[in-house]
Amino acid sequence: MSKIETEINVKEIDENNPLISIVILNYNAGDLLIDCVDSIQKSNYKNFEIILVDNVSKDNSQKKCKEKFPNIKLMENSENLGYCEGNNVGLRTAKGEFVVILNPDTIVDPSWLSELLSAYRKNGDGIYQPKFLASTDHSMLLSTGNMIQIFGFGYSRSKGDLDKGQYEKFEQVDFASGTCIFTSKKIIEKIGLFESFLFAFHDDFELCWRGALIGINSFYVPSAIVYHPIEGYSFKWSPLKFKLLERNRKYCLLTLYSRSTFFKMIPGLLLVDIAV
C-alpha cells in the first residue's frame, strides 16, 4: 500500500475528526479556483479531501489547479453537465462521512469547516450553510440563509446589508445556499442527489425543500464564514438564465407542492406569470 493510500485510510477512520469531502464544480473559473483551493488548504480542520469536478473548461483552470495542488482529486466531465449533475459526479465518489458543495469563486475562513461540523454535531441532521460576506467588502452581507416565497421564488436574506452583528444567531432557514452546503453523506443518501433535470438554478432550493418534506431542515451557521463575489463569475444575466430560472421555479411548484395546494394557487400563479 502506498503512502498516499495509507494517509487516506487513516483519514477515513478518524472518528474524532471524520473525513469531510469537499466537492468543487469548476467551469472556467480561472485564478478564482486557485485562490479557493488555497484558502481551503489553510483551514484549521485538516481531515478533508478535495474533489474537483470540471465541466469542460476551456481556460485549463482545472489542470493548473491540479498542478499546483497535486493531492486534489480531479474529475473531468466529457460535456458540461451543469451545476446539478456536475456536483452529483463529485458526490458519488465522495468518501467522507460529511460532504461540502462549494463554489470555485469563494474564499473560506480558516475555521469554516470546524464551525460547520460543530454546528452539525450540536444540532443534528440537517443541511447547513455559513454566513456569506462580500469578498470585496467584508462588512457586506450576501446571505444569512435563503428564504422561499410562496410562488416559488427563492432569495437571500440580508443580501447587501451592512453586517452589524444582527445575524449572529444560529437558526433554521428555508433553504441553504448552494454556494456552500454542508451536510452528512447519510443525509444526501436520504434526500437524494441534485435533480439533474434542473441543470442550474433552483438546485439548492429544490434539494432543501425535498429534504424539508421528510423532516430534514436547513440551518444558518453565523460562526462559519465564507467570502463570495457580489455577483457570481458564471451565468451572467441572459435569456438562458431567465429561461432556467422560470422553468425550474415551475418545476419545483409542480413537484413539491401537493396537487390540492397547487390547484388552489392557480389564479395567483397566472397573475405572477403575467407580471414576470
Short mmCIF file of all heavy atoms in Angstrom, two decimals, residues 14-35:
data_model
loop_
_atom_site.label_atom_id
_atom_site.label_comp_id
_atom_site.label_asym_id
_atom_site.label_seq_id
_atom_site.Cartn_x
_atom_site.Cartn_y
_atom_site.Cartn_z
N ASP A 14 -10.78 8.18 11.26
CA ASP A 14 -10.60 9.06 12.40
C ASP A 14 -11.97 9.49 12.90
O ASP A 14 -12.62 10.37 12.32
CB ASP A 14 -9.77 10.27 11.99
CG ASP A 14 -9.37 11.13 13.19
OD1 ASP A 14 -10.02 11.00 14.24
OD2 ASP A 14 -8.41 11.90 13.07
N GLU A 15 -12.45 8.88 14.00
CA GLU A 15 -13.79 9.15 14.50
C GLU A 15 -13.93 10.54 15.09
O GLU A 15 -14.99 11.17 15.01
CB GLU A 15 -14.18 8.09 15.54
CG GLU A 15 -14.31 6.69 14.95
CD GLU A 15 -14.72 5.66 15.99
OE1 GLU A 15 -14.89 6.05 17.17
OE2 GLU A 15 -14.88 4.48 15.63
N ASN A 16 -12.89 11.05 15.73
CA ASN A 16 -12.96 12.37 16.35
C ASN A 16 -12.89 13.48 15.31
O ASN A 16 -13.44 14.56 15.51
CB ASN A 16 -11.83 12.54 17.36
CG ASN A 16 -11.98 11.61 18.55
OD1 ASN A 16 -13.09 11.37 19.03
ND2 ASN A 16 -10.87 11.08 19.04
N ASN A 17 -12.21 13.20 14.22
CA ASN A 17 -12.08 14.17 13.14
C ASN A 17 -12.43 13.48 11.83
O ASN A 17 -11.55 13.13 11.04
CB ASN A 17 -10.66 14.74 13.08
CG ASN A 17 -10.29 15.49 14.34
OD1 ASN A 17 -10.77 16.59 14.58
ND2 ASN A 17 -9.45 14.88 15.16
N PRO A 18 -13.73 13.27 11.59
CA PRO A 18 -14.15 12.50 10.41
C PRO A 18 -13.75 13.17 9.10
O PRO A 18 -13.61 14.40 9.03
CB PRO A 18 -15.68 12.45 10.55
CG PRO A 18 -16.01 13.65 11.38
CD PRO A 18 -14.88 13.78 12.35
N LEU A 19 -13.57 12.35 8.08
CA LEU A 19 -13.22 12.86 6.77
C LEU A 19 -14.37 13.68 6.19
O LEU A 19 -15.53 13.26 6.22
CB LEU A 19 -12.89 11.70 5.83
CG LEU A 19 -12.51 12.07 4.40
CD1 LEU A 19 -11.20 12.85 4.37
CD2 LEU A 19 -12.41 10.83 3.53
N ILE A 20 -14.05 14.85 5.67
CA ILE A 20 -15.02 15.71 5.00
C ILE A 20 -14.64 15.82 3.53
O ILE A 20 -13.50 16.19 3.20
CB ILE A 20 -15.06 17.11 5.64
CG1 ILE A 20 -15.46 17.02 7.12
CG2 ILE A 20 -16.05 18.01 4.88
CD1 ILE A 20 -15.40 18.35 7.86
N SER A 21 -15.56 15.47 2.66
CA SER A 21 -15.32 15.56 1.21
C SER A 21 -15.83 16.91 0.70
O SER A 21 -17.01 17.24 0.88
CB SER A 21 -16.04 14.44 0.47
OG SER A 21 -15.56 13.18 0.88
N ILE A 22 -14.95 17.68 0.09
CA ILE A 22 -15.30 18.99 -0.44
C ILE A 22 -15.36 18.90 -1.96
O ILE A 22 -14.35 18.66 -2.62
CB ILE A 22 -14.26 20.05 -0.02
CG1 ILE A 22 -14.14 20.10 1.51
CG2 ILE A 22 -14.64 21.42 -0.57
CD1 ILE A 22 -12.98 20.92 2.01
N VAL A 23 -16.56 19.06 -2.50
CA VAL A 23 -16.77 18.98 -3.95
C VAL A 23 -16.80 20.39 -4.53
O VAL A 23 -17.62 21.23 -4.11
CB VAL A 23 -18.08 18.24 -4.28
CG1 VAL A 23 -18.31 18.21 -5.79
CG2 VAL A 23 -18.06 16.82 -3.71
N ILE A 24 -15.92 20.66 -5.46
CA ILE A 24 -15.87 21.96 -6.14
C ILE A 24 -16.14 21.73 -7.62
O ILE A 24 -15.41 20.98 -8.27
CB ILE A 24 -14.50 22.64 -5.96
CG1 ILE A 24 -14.17 22.82 -4.47
CG2 ILE A 24 -14.48 23.99 -6.67
CD1 ILE A 24 -12.77 23.36 -4.23
N LEU A 25 -17.18 22.34 -8.12
CA LEU A 25 -17.51 22.23 -9.54
C LEU A 25 -16.94 23.44 -10.28
O LEU A 25 -17.24 24.58 -9.93
CB LEU A 25 -19.02 22.16 -9.74
CG LEU A 25 -19.50 22.07 -11.19
CD1 LEU A 25 -19.06 20.75 -11.82
CD2 LEU A 25 -21.02 22.21 -11.25
N ASN A 26 -16.14 23.18 -11.29
CA ASN A 26 -15.45 24.26 -11.99
C ASN A 26 -15.92 24.40 -13.44
O ASN A 26 -16.16 23.41 -14.13
CB ASN A 26 -13.93 23.98 -11.99
CG ASN A 26 -13.15 25.07 -12.70
OD1 ASN A 26 -13.23 26.24 -12.32
ND2 ASN A 26 -12.39 24.69 -13.72
N TYR A 27 -16.05 25.64 -13.85
CA TYR A 27 -16.30 25.94 -15.27
C TYR A 27 -15.65 27.28 -15.59
O TYR A 27 -16.21 28.34 -15.32
CB TYR A 27 -17.80 25.97 -15.56
CG TYR A 27 -18.10 26.26 -17.02
CD1 TYR A 27 -17.79 25.34 -18.01
CD2 TYR A 27 -18.70 27.47 -17.40
CE1 TYR A 27 -18.06 25.61 -19.35
CE2 TYR A 27 -18.97 27.74 -18.72
CZ TYR A 27 -18.64 26.81 -19.70
OH TYR A 27 -18.92 27.09 -21.03
N ASN A 28 -14.42 27.22 -16.08
CA ASN A 28 -13.68 28.42 -16.48
C ASN A 28 -13.56 29.45 -15.35
O ASN A 28 -13.75 30.66 -15.57
CB ASN A 28 -14.35 29.08 -17.70
CG ASN A 28 -14.32 28.20 -18.93
OD1 ASN A 28 -13.32 27.55 -19.23
ND2 ASN A 28 -15.44 28.15 -19.64
N ALA A 29 -13.24 28.99 -14.16
CA ALA A 29 -13.14 29.89 -13.02
C ALA A 29 -11.81 30.62 -12.94
O ALA A 29 -11.64 31.52 -12.11
CB ALA A 29 -13.38 29.12 -11.72
N GLY A 30 -10.86 30.21 -13.75
CA GLY A 30 -9.58 30.91 -13.78
C GLY A 30 -8.84 30.87 -12.45
O GLY A 30 -8.85 29.87 -11.74
N ASP A 31 -8.23 32.01 -12.11
CA ASP A 31 -7.45 32.10 -10.88
C ASP A 31 -8.33 32.05 -9.63
O ASP A 31 -7.83 31.80 -8.53
CB ASP A 31 -6.63 33.39 -10.87
CG ASP A 31 -5.49 33.36 -11.89
OD1 ASP A 31 -5.09 32.25 -12.29
OD2 ASP A 31 -5.01 34.45 -12.27
N LEU A 32 -9.63 32.30 -9.80
CA LEU A 32 -10.53 32.20 -8.65
C LEU A 32 -10.50 30.81 -8.04
O LEU A 32 -10.56 30.64 -6.82
CB LEU A 32 -11.97 32.54 -9.07
CG LEU A 32 -12.25 33.98 -9.49
CD1 LEU A 32 -13.65 34.10 -10.06
CD2 LEU A 32 -12.08 34.93 -8.30
N LEU A 33 -10.39 29.80 -8.90
CA LEU A 33 -10.33 28.42 -8.44
C LEU A 33 -9.07 28.18 -7.61
O LEU A 33 -9.13 27.55 -6.54
CB LEU A 33 -10.37 27.47 -9.63
CG LEU A 33 -10.17 25.98 -9.32
CD1 LEU A 33 -11.29 25.46 -8.42
CD2 LEU A 33 -10.09 25.18 -10.62
N ILE A 34 -7.94 28.67 -8.08
CA ILE A 34 -6.67 28.52 -7.36
C ILE A 34 -6.78 29.16 -5.98
O ILE A 34 -6.38 28.59 -4.96
CB ILE A 34 -5.51 29.16 -8.14
CG1 ILE A 34 -5.36 28.52 -9.52
CG2 ILE A 34 -4.22 29.08 -7.34
CD1 ILE A 34 -4.87 27.10 -9.50
N ASP A 35 -7.34 30.37 -5.94
CA ASP A 35 -7.48 31.09 -4.67
C ASP A 35 -8.41 30.35 -3.71
O ASP A 35 -8.17 30.31 -2.50
CB ASP A 35 -8.02 32.50 -4.92
CG ASP A 35 -7.05 33.37 -5.70
OD1 ASP A 35 -5.84 33.04 -5.72
OD2 ASP A 35 -7.49 34.37 -6.30
#
